[in-house]
């Protein structure tokens, strides 16, 4: 792992993720969601805050470290996820879209998160989540 990615992950894990997670659970942050995956080894629930765009029953996001991100590897093992959006949990099915233009997709997502993903991202990957009805 390069230094930039390592520092970014440390900052996210220790500072950003706990703060954003608490705000999403309370329904305060509207352009973020919590993605809950099942750990591919442990089987335990794993939660990651992500910037999203919700369009009907479809949720779009871009993973900044692509297939190296733990939650992406968990999705590869089991595409069934749960999302906390505006404080409400919903189930859905995630689909990794490596052929999608992730940089173009970022232009449709919330600006602040998209700018951060562009700045630190090293292997962008679009993810589409279709929410259960």
């Amino acid at each position: 792992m390069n230094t930039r990615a390592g520092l970014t992950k440390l900052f996210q894990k220790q500072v950003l993720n706990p703060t954003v997670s608490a705000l999403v659970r309370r329904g305060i942050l509207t352009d973020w969601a919590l993605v809950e995956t099942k750990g591919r080894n442990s089987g335990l629930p794993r939660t990651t805050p992500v910037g999203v765009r919700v369009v009907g029953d479809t949720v779009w996001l871009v993973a900044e470290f692509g297939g190296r991100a733990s939650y992406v590897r968990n999705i590869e093992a089991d595409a069934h996820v749960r999302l906390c959006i505006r404080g409400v949990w919903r189930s859905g099915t995630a689909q990794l879209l490596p052929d999608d233009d992730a940089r173009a997709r970022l232009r449709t997502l919330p600006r602040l998160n998209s700018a951060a993903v562009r700045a630190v991202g090293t292997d962008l990957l679009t993810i589409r989540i279709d929410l259960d009805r």
Side-chain angles (χ1 to χ4, degrees):
M1 176 183 318
N2 70 37
T3 303
R4 180 170 78 170
L7 290 174
T8 299
K9 287 184 179 187
L10 180 65
F11 172 76
Q12 288 173 334
K13 186 174 184 176
Q14 299 297 320
V15 179
L16 185 67
N17 290 0
T19 303
V20 170
S21 294
L23 295 172
V24 170
R25 281 189 176 92
R26 289 178 177 83
I28 296 170
L29 288 181
T30 59
D31 291 336
W32 289 76
L34 299 179
V35 175
E36 183 184 89
T37 59
K38 184 176 10 173
R40 63 197 172 281
N41 296 318
S42 69
L44 298 173
R46 303 295 183 198
T47 306
T48 304
V50 293
V52 298
R53 172 72 67 213
V54 180
V55 181
D57 286 330
T58 302
V59 179
W60 294 94
L61 62 117
V62 174
E64 60 201 346
F65 298 115
R68 292 192 325 269
S70 292
Y71 76 97
V72 172
R73 292 193 313 251
N74 290 342
I75 289 170
E76 287 175 329
D78 183 352
H80 295 91
V81 299
R82 287 190 340 131
L83 285 128
C84 181
I85 303 169
R86 296 183 178 137
V88 177
W89 285 96
R90 294 189 59 190
S91 297
T93 304
Q95 186 176 19
L96 306 179
L97 302 172
D99 294 330
D100 189 66
D101 183 346
R103 290 205 176 274
R105 181 71 56 194
L106 281 173
R107 290 192 288 275
T108 70
L109 300 178
R111 286 184 186 168
L112 180 60
N113 179 264
S114 293
V117 169
R118 273 192 298 276
V120 301
T122 56
D123 186 19
L124 304 182
L125 175 65
T126 301
I127 301 173
R128 173 186 171 151
I129 300 173
D130 295 312
L131 299 173
D132 297 341
R133 292 183 180 207

